[in-house]
Amino acid sequence: MSVKENTEFQPTIVAFCCNWCSYSGADLAGTNRLSYPTNVKIIRVPCSCRINPMFVLRAFQRGADGVILCGCHPGDCHYMEGNYHTRRRMTLLFSMLNYLGIESARTRVEWVSAAEGQRFVDVMDDFTAKITELGPNRRLEDLRCKKN
Amino acid sequence: MQEELIKRAVELMEDGTVNRVLGWQKGQFVYDITPAVFTSADELKENFVYNDFCGDNLSKYLKDETEKEGKVLVFLKPCDTYSFNQLLTEYKIHRENVYAIGIECYGKADVELLRRKGIDGILDVKNENGTLKIATIYGDEEVPMMEAMAERCVNCKSKKHVAYDELIGEDGEVLDSNRFDMVEKLEQMSAQERFDFWQGELSRCIRCNACRNVCPACTCEKCVFDNPDSGLYNKAAADSFEEKMFHIIRAYHVAGRCTDCGECSRVCPEHIPLHLLNRKFIKDYNELYGSFMAGAEVGQVSPMVDFTMDNDAEPSIVQKGGAE
Amino acid sequence: MAIYKLPYSDLNQLFAAIAANEKLYLPVDISEDEAAFRLWKEGDQMTKKLNTLRSAKDFFFPQVQPLAKFRRQGQTIEIMDDRTESEDFVIFGARACDVRSFDVLDRVFLEEPVDTQYQTRRQHSTVVSLACGRPGETCFCGSFGIDAAKAGGDVQAWHDGDNFYLEPLTDKGVKLIDSVSSLLTAGDQEAVDQVVEKIHTILARLPLAGLKPQDLRDKELETFNSPKWDELSSHCIGCGSCTFVCPTCQCFDIEDFKNGENVERYRCWDSCMYNEFTMMAAGTPRKTQKERFRQRFMHKLVYYPIKNDGMYSCVGCGRCLRKCPIQMNIVKVMKALEEEA
Amino acid sequence: MQRIGVFVCHCGTNIAATVDVEAVAEAAKSVPGVVFSADYPYMCSESGQDLVKESVQKYNLTNVVICSCSPRMHEKTFRKAVESIGMNPYMLEIANIREQCSWVHKDKEEGTEKAIMLMKAACAKATLNTPLTPGMLPVTKRALVIGGGIAGMQAALDIAEAGYEVDIVEQKPTIGGKMAQLDKTFPTLDCSSCIVTPKMVDVGQNDKIRILSYSDVEEVKGYIGNFDVKIKRKARYVDEDKCTGCGLCTEKCPMKKVPNEWNLELDTRSCVYIPFAQAVPKVATIDPRYCLKLNKGTCGICSKVCGVGAINYEAKDEIIEEKYGAIVAATGFEIADISRYDEYAYGQSPDVVTSLEYERLMSAAGPFGGHLLRPSDHKEPKKIVFVQCVGSREEESCKGGKEYCSKVCCMYTAKHAILTKDHYPDTDIYVFYIDVRTPGKLFDEFYRRAVEQYGVHYIKGAVGKVTPHKETGKLEVQGYDMILNEQMHIDADMVVLAAAVEPSHTARRMATMLTAPMDNNDFFTEAHAKLRPVESATAGVFLAGMCQGPKDIPETVSQASAAAAKVIGVLAKDQLVGNPCIAHPDELMCNGCSQCAGVCPYGAITYVEKEFRMPNRTTKMRRVAQVNEAVCQGCGACTVTCPSGAMDLRGFSNNEIMAEVDALCL
């Protein structure tokens, strides 16, 4: 819920960030006093490959309008191979969601290194803008979880 | 064919190769055939049946069956052999406890397709040279076998037996089927149309779990949907979200392991085309990561646990390629 | 009671007239293969199919039913009754088997302690049944003394191709007929008798026509210990399709959906075929599929009759015969038990 | 029931300026499970930490949530703090309300709202926290070095220096590796043997080092601190302990026509042989492929002449089993097979040689005693063409060559040119190159010397064809000068090919045994390209030298010493503390499908058959996964592969993450 209630649509965005690259990248954005929308809520995971498709679906169920996964750039994974698995899993999951008619722009994977604070901000700005434009998640919502 | 199978089964029981036979048992109608284990020649002669309605894939039963004492004989249609191999890959079958006979299959009929044509009160069905002669309470009917054939058989992926100890009848080839046509058709629809299509299909789901329980790839000790601690537990879809959740996760969990045997769609009481979800994954990984057929060989590495460093598509490909 | 009729071609007007007063649910085609009860709207045609896939029990005992909400505010919890009062509604075109299933369910849910949700819905419903013109080979309602030609309910109906005949059987039925009387004319018993006669001829020719259930009430333990269960259950995959299409299965589970700090409590169908059915802290009381399979049929054929003066908890609708993934069903069970006896 | 304490840090004004910290602390009071909340200017200060500790004791807190800076900053600090008063450190969660809230948001109202959500998410996760205890693993204080080249020797010496026992397994009869075959080293031009043989002697004489030469690693089991290794000691037919290395047998051996690997088969040796004069161990070896006694039962001369009775024709391969705490892979490199490059006529003319063969031709210990002669007619070459990047920097589609740069060729070619010019100033030398790469101390100066001082002709371009002319004995080199944009014809006496280096052919097998990852070229992959360059991703396995990627001698030696330092770091500990946030299978739910092992980058997952209780007093054997706690690094890849959710990650469990998701979305 946002304080700007009743004015315009404020999307809820869940960003899963791997501990080693993207979460640090997000920290760097803070250290450099950059800014991105408050809609973005970050969840720390050890590696992007820790992200189970059910977490993505769960987020949508509970009211997320967009879900973004961030990991180390391919080849830079702290665990060597994790993000390669993420890449495949999420490509297939997103393709399936798209196949079911869920807007494909609601899900995204981005590679953000620990040094890319600015990139983290750019990615989040862009993603938030796209989701705001897309409007509330209706196709993968759970009516019980809607705020009343 | 049926007589030949019985004869061979009796021989193998008599010479001690096996001590029982996993096959199909006659029902009270021509089509309600039940998987069964036969332990004597008499039982076989009396009740064993192999006809156009023997659609059940017997391979999953081997999971429990091969843990028992002695060797079991199983009859596998070509598509069942893929499930058989996949179960072996996942250490679900004790290979030494099973004697597999590959049998020919020219496609199985689905009684529901006859009913779809308004044929009911079915008393008997005979296949005469590709035409089903159906006797019903309300008179006789004729339907070409092709029109009564299950979708999975019309779009048969392979007539080749990928595993067997012995073959009865001819071995065929992997077929160049049109099984992805419907997936493609859906892909070409707009997102809204696809959503409406699936909403219409999945909203009929009654969560009977037949699709899951019959699936040869679903061999978990405890399914996440039955486990109150899994975060996915639910017994019935209390919201339309949960219908989608169940089917997305079900298809995802068998992706890379699903042999496209089509049992899920066969058993769905609501006729939801569940195979179209599985086939989407198959089509995707075939196109993105190279052709892969689960169960084609024992011990294959599924594309779901594999990767390449340089050649894998980025997830953004979905957005670029997907119709909105 | 009196018989009314209207031309078959005017059926739509009848639907419109009923729907003007209360909600009307009608079996309509929802796919090439299946029909289901849906809220009638202009243009909807009654299905030509024999029966709906899901039975009419959904109206009184839906698959998912909210029970209560728990809302948390700070350190307090507010409990909110989630039940809604039901509006009057009409179920049109229920078959004799489903109509009988309401009796079966009534004996469960209207017994003390009364299930008020079920009761409310029952009270608000008017059931218009329809005789089966084209029963299928899987039908065996006759085995349980049900006459598919006289389907019962508040109003029973027939059609002979040209006309639709209606006969109110209860006060609710009379009330419904009165509310649409402008469309109806007096019907003749003779025409109805002809339809009934025709149906009876077909019923007699059904393959399962001779099937009679055994009275096992004093053979409870023997039946329970019958060696047949092993074989019968051996290939059951433990899904719930038979249970969920069954018009008389009435087991449910109560679940909590945690919604942040709030909880939504609902009940939903459960199946005795599931291994987590009646799961307790110490595990499940029926650990193997054989035990679970046996439970389902013992309940339908033995336990329920013991408690209900010999009434079986099966109405012979044949849905499980059509829907079981492995084609194992109550008829095969009945036959096997009989064989043994 | 959880009793959570929430502590909100102001971080001076760093947080407090954009987040109403008091409001966050107040909001925490109505979060389920929270029994205490407070805000404080600097939570990380000693007094802030004391506040946490006191509150834990005063309110009997079971969990602590700190709303402060990034967990990457102070998670350890706070975990230590609560541990000091007896709380399990993993019962603490951090809500990052500085880097990911106050510093990136400007609006105080929004910032406060978000901080409250982050706090709630941390509480939701904390509620599900379970105490975690890292496993303690014993350490076998011995190291194994695989490979006895300069990398292996250096690593072994450094480890031995620290007082630990080291075994070197070398597949050849002697240690020394490729460096011992080199003539001189760049850019200093000191004699390679003169610097490597003393090292070999040091290794041979070090009483902490045992050399297992003429041996192969057969099997590696276990994990960091506790490797069980099987080593095959190939039958040498000469008793290592008895042999004095006198060399009499090698002189008397009648079978003298054995191609001499040491000189890259440019000459021959006897069947019983000592690879070279300074070999360590200096003991003879009988080559079973050629020995008359072993093959035909005749001869037996070596046995007769041996004064100490060291010859034993009955010797058999022997497997020994050893335990180690750490392993250094130093399997080195080979010269890539270039026989498929027909255009260079390698294999057609003996005067077309690889650079390593050229080293041997120039070496004083080489086939011609250090006199540079053409292999064909033993005449001094007057015109030599060097071709660079043969098989390197090629597209794989081309000829199956290597895409990578072999790194050392530019420099050794300059060395060859200079050395040749030094000894034979009238030699004409042409070098065909794509680029000349000389990063390294004194490297470019060295290369410039070759061009400017020695007048070596460097030609940017490629060689299209080398045609040997039998009649003239010349090699006609057709090349192309890209700068002058013209074809060139050179009638050369010799052509030297700078063939690509590639990992040892045993490396892939070794990597599989070590469960160490490799790249597409079969080079071992380091755990992190920048920050952990000498560690394999497999804990306890370290990398040195060419096996990890092309590198020159000083780089190899530094990496070897670095790897040794890492090994010493492991061996110096009596026990290793594991990472408690690792994968853990629920055996009751695992069905042994074995998909998880397929995604584990560390080979931490194995399967066992276990007996389970089943209904009706029966039991059943079932295959279930086991995670080796010492090897698992906690990435979580396996947890997603597991369809039943039997595999979960401690510290980041499915339910913990989903609780966070719920809290952040609702």
Side-chain angles (χ1 to χ4, degrees):
Chain A
M1 233 184 300
S2 161
V3 284
K4 287 183 189 165
E5 248 175 323
N6 304 326
T7 51
E8 58 190 279
F9 166 58
Q10 284 291 325
T12 302
I13 289 168
V14 174
F16 292 100
C17 291
C18 86
N19 183 45
W20 305 98
C21 288
S22 308
Y23 193 87
S24 306
D27 279 354
L28 183 64
T31 312
N32 293 346
R33 306 300 198 278
L34 305 172
S35 179
Y36 54 87
T38 46
N39 310 64
V40 176
K41 313 287 190 310
I42 296 170
I43 293 177
R44 183 165 72 126
V45 286
C47 176
S48 59
C49 71
R50 174 68 188 91
I51 301 159
N52 195 309
M54 74 175 172
F55 302 162
V56 178
L57 296 179
R58 176 81 163 216
F60 282 120
Q61 177 186 30
R62 300 293 159 145
D65 300 295
V67 177
I68 182 163
L69 284 68
C70 301
C72 309
H73 286 272
D76 293 348
C77 176
H78 178 79
Y79 305 99
M80 297 171 310
E81 301 171 353
N83 50 6
Y84 293 127
H85 291 298
T86 310
R87 190 162 64 178
R88 274 204 179 184
R89 288 169 182 165
M90 292 305 143
T91 304
L92 291 167
L93 175 70
F94 293 177
S95 177
M96 176 52 75
L97 293 178
N98 184 42
Y99 183 65
L100 293 176
I102 318 299
E103 304 91 335
S104 57
R106 288 201 192 278
T107 47
R108 197 188 280 192
V109 170
E110 291 282 355
W111 313 122
V112 179
S113 81
E116 295 175 321
Q118 184 60 51
R119 185 173 143 71
F120 185 84
V121 167
D122 294 344
V123 163
M124 291 307 154
D125 280 345
D126 180 64
F127 190 59
T128 311
K130 291 267 161 60
I131 298 298
T132 309
E133 200 180 307
L134 211 52
N137 157 36
R138 290 272 174 256
R139 292 181 185 165
L140 211 48
E141 69 183 349
D142 189 323
L143 290 172
R144 294 170 298 178
C145 302
K146 288 288 146 178
K147 298 130 205 166
N148 30 25
Chain B
M1 188 85 184
Q2 177 179 320
E3 292 316 308
E4 206 179 331
L5 301 190
I6 294 172
K7 186 171 155 260
R8 186 64 188 134
V10 170
E11 273 171 24
L12 286 165
M13 263 206 284
E14 279 169 359
D15 73 12
T17 309
V18 298
N19 62 7
R20 62 203 190 282
V21 179
L22 176 56
W24 300 273
Q25 184 170 31
K26 266 182 204 141
Q28 50 217 346
F29 312 116
V30 64
Y31 58 80
D32 64 336
I33 284 148
T34 311
V37 170
F38 303 84
T39 50
S40 72
D42 289 345
E43 277 179 40
L44 277 168
K45 283 170 191 160
E46 201 177 324
N47 289 322
F48 181 93
V49 63
Y50 185 65
N51 65 16
D52 288 331
F53 293 99
C54 293
D56 301 52
N57 179 348
L58 302 177
S59 55
K60 191 179 183 181
Y61 290 110
L62 293 172
K63 180 173 176 263
D64 289 334
E65 214 51 59
T66 58
E67 279 181 0
K68 297 178 185 163
E69 199 60 30
K71 222 174 191 181
V72 61
L73 168 64
V74 68
F75 293 108
L76 299 174
K77 304 187 291 294
C79 61
D80 305 342
T81 60
Y82 287 82
S83 311
F84 181 76
N85 267 352
Q86 187 59 30
L87 285 159
L88 281 172
T89 301
E90 293 173 18
Y91 304 92
K92 291 283 162 293
I93 298 178
H94 298 284
R95 185 66 179 89
E96 68 282 7
N97 284 347
V98 54
Y99 188 87
I101 295 189
I103 53 176
E104 281 176 330
C105 172
Y106 299 103
K108 296 297 170 197
D110 182 352
V111 70
E112 300 278 298
L113 291 176
L114 299 178
R115 295 203 174 112
R116 184 184 286 181
K117 291 175 177 291
I119 300 171
D120 213 335
I122 298 167
L123 299 173
D124 194 24
V125 181
K126 282 205 171 61
N127 187 343
E128 288 178 13
N129 303 320
T131 303
L132 298 182
K133 305 250 164 125
I134 305 153
T136 82
I137 307 169
Y138 306 103
D140 292 346
E141 304 268 1
E142 277 190 18
V143 172
M145 176 64 184
M146 272 310 284
E147 289 177 25
M149 212 188 267
E151 188 279 343
R152 59 172 173 171
C153 301
V154 173
N155 290 321
C156 178
K157 63 178 184 285
S158 174
K159 298 264 184 250
K160 181 179 161 73
H161 297 83
V162 290
Y164 55 83
D165 293 309
E166 174 181 331
L167 211 55
I168 294 185
E170 295 278 300
D171 199 9
E173 291 298 316
V174 175
L175 303 177
D176 199 11
S177 83
N178 299 321
R179 62 190 175 123
F180 297 116
D181 285 4
M182 187 57 197
V183 177
E184 220 157 89
K185 209 174 127 193
L186 280 163
E187 286 169 345
Q188 274 150 18
M189 290 181 183
S190 72
Q192 184 66 49
E193 286 169 328
R194 280 199 298 270
F195 182 75
D196 293 342
F197 172 85
W198 282 114
Q199 186 77 357
E201 294 293 344
L202 298 181
S203 64
R204 300 206 308 276
C205 172
I206 59 172
R207 268 308 297 283
C208 66
N209 293 321
C211 52
R212 178 193 74 185
N213 290 15
V214 81
C215 175
C218 283
T219 51
C220 285
E221 289 295 316
K222 193 170 193 65
C223 175
V224 279
F225 290 101
D226 293 347
N227 178 1
D229 299 325
S230 71
L232 282 171
Y233 174 77
N234 89 342
K235 268 187 181 155
D239 186 277
S240 91
F241 172 84
E242 286 178 337
E243 292 154 1
K244 294 175 204 120
M245 175 82 144
F246 176 78
H247 289 288
I248 295 170
I249 296 292
R250 186 197 62 78
Y252 185 85
H253 279 180
V254 300
R257 306 159 56 224
C258 166
T259 63
D260 199 10
C261 74
E263 286 285 269
C264 46
S265 292
R266 175 180 73 83
V267 302
C268 180
E270 285 281 4
H271 301 278
I272 300 170
L274 297 165
H275 63 277
L276 292 178
L277 294 175
N278 301 335
R279 275 187 196 164
K280 171 63 178 165
F281 277 125
I282 297 173
K283 180 170 181 283
D284 275 353
Y285 60 64
N286 276 348
E287 284 172 5
L288 292 168
Y289 313 123
S291 171
F292 176 81
M293 182 66 229
E297 283 167 45
V298 179
Q300 293 180 120
V301 177
S302 135
M304 296 299 290
V305 300
D306 205 7
F307 63 86
T308 64
M309 291 182 191
D310 304 322
N311 301 322
D312 283 3
E314 290 290 329
S316 58
I317 192 175
V318 175
Q319 225 164 328
K320 285 168 195 147
E324 272 301 317
Chain C
M1 279 197 198
I3 289 175
Y4 300 87
K5 78 170 175 188
L6 91 162
Y8 193 70
S9 51
D10 289 354
L11 206 50
N12 244 349
Q13 289 173 35
L14 177 68
F15 295 153
I18 297 173
N21 299 325
E22 50 194 319
K23 287 199 162 132
L24 168 64
Y25 292 92
L26 192 72
V28 298
D29 286 340
I30 53 161
S31 71
E32 279 181 291
D33 305 292
E34 302 299 346
F37 284 101
R38 289 284 184 267
L39 185 64
W40 180 84
K41 53 183 194 310
E42 190 59 49
D44 279 355
Q45 299 291 321
M46 191 157 66
T47 182
K48 297 255 186 306
K49 293 184 167 55
L50 172 62
N51 213 343
T52 53
L53 165 61
R54 290 171 73 148
S55 84
K57 81 174 173 190
D58 292 31
F59 288 106
F60 310 117
F61 175 47
Q63 185 162 16
V64 175
Q65 199 169 26
L67 296 177
K69 279 194 171 75
F70 303 88
R71 293 261 175 271
R72 195 171 178 287
Q73 287 289 330
Q75 301 287 351
T76 61
I77 294 175
E78 185 193 352
I79 303 170
M80 294 150 80
D81 192 340
D82 219 16
R83 289 175 290 183
T84 45
E85 271 303 303
S86 190
E87 301 167 86
D88 286 348
F89 64 96
V90 174
I91 306 168
F92 198 101
R95 298 297 188 182
C97 46
D98 281 8
V99 173
R100 168 68 70 86
S101 79
F102 304 153
D103 294 343
V104 174
L105 295 174
D106 281 352
R107 286 169 181 252
V108 176
F109 289 118
L110 299 182
E111 287 284 301
E112 283 300 329
V114 173
D115 187 305
T116 53
Q117 301 225 24
Y118 178 88
Q119 188 182 39
T120 314
R121 289 179 184 238
R122 273 298 263 151
Q123 282 163 354
H124 285 277
S125 70
T126 307
V127 177
V128 181
S129 69
L130 181 61
C132 302
R134 258 177 91 90
E137 78 278 8
T138 51
C139 290
F140 59 110
C141 59
S143 304
F144 302 101
I146 299 166
D147 186 352
K150 289 179 182 167
D154 295 310
V155 177
Q156 58 183 353
W158 302 262
H159 73 83
D160 62 3
D162 301 325
N163 288 307
F164 209 84
Y165 302 92
L166 295 147
E167 180 186 17
L169 297 174
T170 66
D171 293 349
K172 271 200 252 180
V174 171
K175 209 174 133 212
L176 177 70
I177 294 295
D178 285 350
S179 72
V180 294
S181 56
S182 60
L183 294 169
L184 308 174
T185 55
D188 44 320
Q189 185 68 44
E190 213 170 299
V192 169
D193 288 346
Q194 270 180 25
V195 178
V196 170
E197 178 73 34
K198 207 176 135 194
I199 295 174
H200 281 167
T201 320
I202 300 169
L203 289 172
R205 286 170 46 210
L206 291 179
L208 298 177
L211 183 73
K212 283 279 164 273
Q214 269 181 284
D215 189 345
L216 297 165
R217 276 181 287 174
D218 48 7
K219 291 187 192 151
E220 186 181 0
L221 216 59
E222 286 131 277
T223 316
F224 184 89
N225 289 323
S226 163
K228 290 278 176 188
W229 296 115
D230 284 310
E231 195 190 315
L232 287 166
S233 67
S234 61
H235 291 81
C236 173
I237 62 172
C239 75
S241 22
C242 52
T243 325
F244 290 176
V245 298
C246 179
T248 67
C249 271
Q250 75 276 125
C251 293
F252 60 82
D253 194 8
I254 294 177
E255 301 279 346
D256 282 350
F257 176 71
K258 272 206 249 167
N259 189 0
E261 294 175 12
N262 307 320
V263 169
E264 324 243 340
R265 179 160 294 174
Y266 64 98
R267 73 170 173 197
C268 63
W269 292 352
D270 204 345
S271 170
C272 52
M273 291 293 205
Y274 290 169
N275 58 9
E276 69 277 22
F277 181 70
T278 62
M279 182 65 82
M280 296 175 287
T284 164
R286 286 176 281 274
K287 291 188 167 59
T288 63
Q289 196 58 33
K290 171 191 161 185
E291 291 166 281
R292 298 188 277 267
F293 180 94
R294 176 174 62 194
Q295 167 65 17
R296 181 162 192 274
F297 296 104
M298 284 294 285
H299 184 223
K300 296 217 175 291
L301 301 171
V302 187
Y303 306 148
Y304 189 94
I306 288 176
K307 284 190 194 144
N308 294 285
D309 319 314
M311 184 184 194
Y312 293 93
S313 156
C314 173
V315 293
C317 70
R319 287 185 175 92
C320 55
L321 274 66
R322 294 183 178 219
K323 293 304 176 188
C324 175
I326 63 146
Q327 294 81 233
M328 175 49 67
N329 50 56
I330 193 161
V331 172
K332 290 186 181 175
V333 172
M334 283 161 69
K335 286 184 171 173
L337 292 177
E338 196 172 310
E339 221 173 84
E340 199 194 23
Chain D
M1 193 58 203
Q2 278 74 19
R3 296 176 60 82
I4 304 173
V6 176
F7 300 86
V8 188
C9 180
H10 299 207
C11 197
T13 56
N14 278 310
I15 293 172
T18 19
V19 169
D20 182 344
V21 284
E22 281 131 34
V24 177
E26 188 53 36
K29 290 191 164 56
S30 62
V31 173
V34 174
V35 293
F36 175 77
S37 74
D39 58 282
Y40 194 79
Y42 289 100
M43 287 310 312
C44 61
S45 67
E46 206 163 319
S47 46
Q49 293 187 44
D50 285 344
L51 172 67
V52 176
K53 293 190 217 170
E54 284 157 18
S55 309
V56 168
Q57 284 163 331
K58 189 166 165 198
Y59 300 98
N60 286 323
L61 301 181
T62 56
N63 300 71
V64 169
V65 169
I66 313 262
C67 306
S68 62
C69 52
S70 172
R72 296 180 59 82
M73 195 72 113
H74 276 311
E75 192 174 55
K76 271 196 183 137
T77 315
F78 292 117
R79 283 191 167 158
K80 251 193 185 150
V82 296
E83 195 174 18
S84 72
I85 50 157
M87 185 187 234
N88 185 288
Y90 294 90
M91 301 301 274
L92 177 137
E93 289 293 331
I94 304 266
N96 184 346
I97 62 166
R98 191 178 76 175
E99 280 86 344
Q100 296 182 2
C101 189
S102 71
W103 278 355
V104 285
H105 305 312
K106 306 283 173 269
D107 184 297
K108 193 160 182 177
E109 206 181 332
E110 285 186 13
T112 306
E113 199 192 359
K114 179 166 171 184
I116 291 172
M117 289 191 93
L118 295 175
M119 175 273 292
K120 283 184 177 173
C123 289
K125 188 180 179 204
T127 307
L128 298 169
N129 280 169
T130 46
L132 303 179
T133 320
M136 303 297 273
L137 318 157
V139 180
T140 305
K141 291 175 175 285
R142 304 178 67 234
L144 169 67
V145 174
I146 305 172
I150 182 61
M153 290 192 294
Q154 184 64 43
L157 283 168
D158 288 350
I159 297 165
E161 182 72 12
Y164 300 104
E165 285 179 13
V166 192
D167 285 355
I168 297 179
V169 173
E170 167 59 52
Q171 55 177 348
K172 302 227 165 62
T174 173
I175 59 170
K178 293 281 187 299
M179 187 176 168
Q181 286 175 289
L182 302 183
D183 179 33
K184 299 279 193 307
T185 59
F186 61 76
T188 47
L189 295 183
D190 36 5
C191 154
S192 189
S193 308
C194 311
I195 52 179
V196 79
T197 47
K199 278 256 185 238
M200 293 162 63
V201 172
D202 283 354
V203 169
Q205 292 180 344
N206 193 311
D207 55 9
K208 293 275 182 197
I209 302 177
R210 179 168 65 147
I211 299 169
L212 302 170
S213 61
Y214 208 53
S215 301
D216 286 324
V217 174
E218 281 297 296
E219 185 185 284
V220 181
K221 286 253 164 71
Y223 45 88
I224 183 168
N226 300 280
F227 291 105
D228 293 302
V229 181
K230 284 189 185 156
I231 298 161
K232 179 162 87 182
R233 309 227 54 197
K234 291 178 281 190
R236 207 170 198 144
Y237 305 102
V238 176
D239 189 324
E240 271 182 49
D241 297 329
K242 288 184 186 158
C243 175
T244 59
C246 69
L248 192 57
C249 54
T250 68
E251 277 168 38
K252 301 291 181 199
C253 177
M255 176 55 78
K256 289 269 185 319
K257 292 284 171 208
V258 181
N260 184 359
E261 309 80 354
W262 168 247
N263 278 334
L264 302 170
E265 309 194 352
L266 292 165
D267 64 356
T268 57
R269 60 159 168 84
S270 53
C271 173
V272 56
Y273 67 110
I274 296 171
F276 58 101
Q278 300 94 332
V280 173
K282 193 166 181 189
V283 289
T285 306
I286 294 178
D287 189 333
R289 294 170 301 172
Y290 296 93
C291 177
L292 293 171
K293 178 74 183 173
L294 291 172
N295 290 298
K296 296 188 177 143
T298 57
C299 186
I301 289 173
C302 48
S303 173
K304 285 173 204 138
V305 299
C306 182
V308 293
I311 308 289
N312 171 15
Y313 300 115
E314 302 302 316
K316 291 270 177 305
D317 290 354
E318 193 189 331
I319 301 280
I320 60 169
E321 290 180 37
E322 294 289 344
K323 286 177 101 60
Y324 302 101
I327 298 176
V328 177
T331 49
F333 71 104
E334 322 259 359
I335 299 299
D337 178 17
I338 53 165
S339 56
R340 61 187 175 280
Y341 293 89
D342 295 338
E343 64 267 41
Y344 300 130
Y346 184 75
Q348 295 164 34
S349 163
D351 299 332
V352 180
V353 296
T354 66
S355 303
L356 193 58
E357 286 165 350
Y358 196 70
E359 292 278 353
R360 295 311 305 151
L361 290 175
M362 297 213 294
S363 168
F368 306 128
H371 195 167
L372 180 62
L373 298 174
R374 306 208 312 171
S376 59
D377 51 11
H378 297 200
K379 282 186 188 150
E380 276 184 16
K382 289 294 158 212
K383 202 177 263 186
I384 306 176
V385 171
F386 288 83
V387 185
Q388 299 286 273
C389 300
V390 176
S392 303
R393 302 180 69 196
E394 254 188 13
E395 282 184 25
E396 208 178 333
S397 56
C398 183
K399 271 181 184 161
K402 313 293 179 190
E403 288 181 55
Y404 55 83
C405 165
S406 293
K407 195 167 182 179
V408 288
C409 327
C410 287
M411 287 306 294
Y412 71 56
T413 300
K415 174 188 77 179
H416 289 162
I418 288 175
L419 286 172
T420 310
K421 281 285 210 182
D422 251 346
H423 295 300
Y424 312 97
D426 58 341
T427 316
D428 245 355
I429 295 180
Y430 297 83
V431 179
F432 283 87
Y433 68 95
I434 307 176
D435 298 293
V436 176
R437 296 178 166 179
T438 56
K441 195 171 165 185
L442 296 174
F443 282 14
D444 202 57
E445 294 89 325
F446 185 73
Y447 153 64
R448 301 206 65 79
R449 234 162 82 203
V451 180
E452 291 162 10
Q453 196 176 324
Y454 287 92
V456 177
H457 308 293
Y458 268 79
I459 299 155
K460 187 173 176 72
V463 169
K465 191 156 179 62
V466 177
T467 319
H469 290 289
K470 273 237 171 67
E471 5 10 298
T472 59
K474 295 280 185 194
L475 297 160
E476 185 194 343
V477 179
Q478 286 170 273
Y480 177 71
D481 186 325
M482 279 167 67
I483 291 171
L484 299 177
N485 192 18
E486 62 183 31
Q487 295 288 337
M488 289 186 69
H489 282 267
I490 301 167
D491 281 331
D493 298 312
M494 275 187 83
V495 172
V496 183
L497 304 174
V501 297
E502 65 182 17
S504 160
H505 301 148
T506 60
R508 171 69 55 184
R509 187 174 147 263
M510 206 61 71
T512 309
M513 281 193 271
L514 295 168
T515 67
M518 293 192 126
D519 64 18
N520 295 338
N521 293 310
D522 281 5
F523 286 117
F524 282 89
T525 310
E526 56 281 13
H528 190 281
K530 275 75 181 178
L531 301 176
R532 299 169 68 191
V534 300
E535 292 161 73
S536 158
T538 302
V541 175
F542 304 93
L543 311 173
M546 282 271 209
C547 69
Q548 179 258 341
K551 55 179 66 68
D552 62 22
I553 293 166
E555 282 176 329
T556 296
V557 171
S558 359
Q559 199 187 17
S561 289
K566 288 281 173 191
V567 169
I568 294 163
V570 172
L571 301 187
K573 296 190 179 79
D574 292 326
Q575 280 190 315
L576 295 168
V577 180
N579 165 19
C581 296
I582 50 166
H584 177 72
D586 180 338
E587 289 179 345
L588 290 176
M589 289 206 289
C590 174
N591 76 346
C593 74
S594 307
Q595 292 202 97
C596 51
V599 295
C600 180
Y602 307 100
I605 303 173
T606 50
Y607 298 88
V608 289
E609 293 282 330
K610 262 204 162 169
E611 194 169 14
F612 288 87
R613 274 169 55 187
M614 297 299 285
N616 307 327
R617 294 197 181 81
T618 53
T619 60
K620 182 173 161 182
M621 292 298 282
R622 232 177 56 217
R623 180 184 165 89
V624 289
Q626 288 199 321
V627 171
N628 188 324
E629 301 198 351
V631 180
C632 174
Q633 303 286 307
C635 67
C638 52
T639 62
V640 182
T641 306
C642 181
S644 64
M647 193 67 90
D648 209 346
L649 193 65
R650 286 178 173 149
F652 291 93
S653 71
N654 287 341
N655 284 328
E656 284 174 333
I657 294 173
M658 281 190 287
E660 282 185 90
V661 169
D662 290 2
L664 290 178
C665 289
L666 286 162

